[in-house]
Each structure stands twice: as C-alpha cells, then as structure tokens.
Amino acid sequence: YQVLLPLLTQLWERRKEHVLFVEIGVANGRTSFALLERLPWLRVVLIDAFVEYAGRRKEVVQQTEHFPGRVELLTTTSLEGASIFRQRRQVADLVIIDADHSFEALREDLWAWDSD
C-alpha cells in the first residue's frame, strides 16, 4: 500500500474530491483497508469472487464495517465487476488487478477495465 499512498494523494490534491480506487483480487483486503485508514477522502470498491479464498469473504465483510459509506464489496469476477461499473457509468481513478494471474485472464481484465 505504501507505493499507492503518494499516487492516490497526488490524484486527490489535483482534484480535491473523492478518489475512487478499485482492487480486483482482494484476498483479505489488507491493501485497501490500510489505504482507507490513512486516506479519509478515498472510496474503494473491492472485487473478488472468493473462489480460492471463500473463508476470507466473512473477514473482509467485517472489515468493511469500519468504513461506512467508503467501501463496497462486489462478490463477483473482475469481468462482471467491470460490467457493473459500465452500467452505473462509474469511472475508477485507479484499478489494481491482482486476481487470476494467467496471461489470458490478465489480458481479459485489462480489456474489460479499459476506460474507453
């Protein structure tokens, strides 16, 4: 998360409004929760189908309760999450993709989350 702090802070300083960060492949959410603790203007969307980490979903849900109105958990795939964003007409300021690490899956994620 320490690498992301200055980048997100620069985004906020330029705009002086909430910054929307998307983390795909949440596992335990440690990165996003550390950022939320330090950046009060940050809004986060966590996306994970929890296929490999089904037991961690409950832990992540409990952590989201510490940040009411600032974090949303979508229990779905990256591709479906991108579709939801498009339907809502939302645009993320920063997307971190750390889900399926295969070449094919990463390529699909990059295409799905392209802002164009």
Side-chain angles (χ1 to χ4, degrees):
Y1 76 90
Q2 292 177 347
V3 172
L4 296 171
L5 278 171
L7 178 60
L8 291 166
T9 300
Q10 281 183 350
L11 285 170
W12 180 76
E13 287 173 348
R14 288 182 184 169
R15 297 178 24 207
K16 296 295 184 193
E17 61 184 55
H18 299 295
V19 173
L20 181 57
F21 170 68
V22 176
E23 182 179 6
I24 301 167
V26 176
N28 61 13
R30 187 176 8 197
T31 298
S32 288
F33 295 127
L35 292 168
L36 284 162
E37 287 175 358
R38 290 160 179 81
L39 305 173
W41 36 262
L42 186 65
R43 301 295 181 260
V44 174
V45 176
L46 305 169
I47 299 175
D48 200 313
F50 293 99
V51 173
E52 294 180 28
Y53 303 103
R56 291 187 179 171
R57 184 183 182 285
K58 182 178 179 182
E59 175 186 338
V60 171
V61 168
Q62 289 173 340
Q63 288 295 317
T64 64
E65 295 169 2
H66 297 286
F67 305 98
R70 296 182 53 213
V71 62
E72 177 182 11
L73 174 62
L74 299 178
T75 305
T76 190
T77 65
S78 173
L79 301 181
E80 181 61 26
S83 177
I84 291 168
F85 257 65
R86 286 194 185 351
Q87 290 170 7
R88 293 178 180 177
R89 301 191 192 292
Q90 284 182 300
V91 177
D93 296 297
L94 180 64
V95 177
I96 298 296
I97 300 172
D98 189 20
D100 185 337
H101 296 164
S102 71
F103 176 80
E104 294 298 325
L106 181 57
R107 183 174 61 184
E108 288 179 7
D109 285 344
L110 290 171
W111 283 339
W113 286 94
D114 183 6
S115 63
D116 290 335

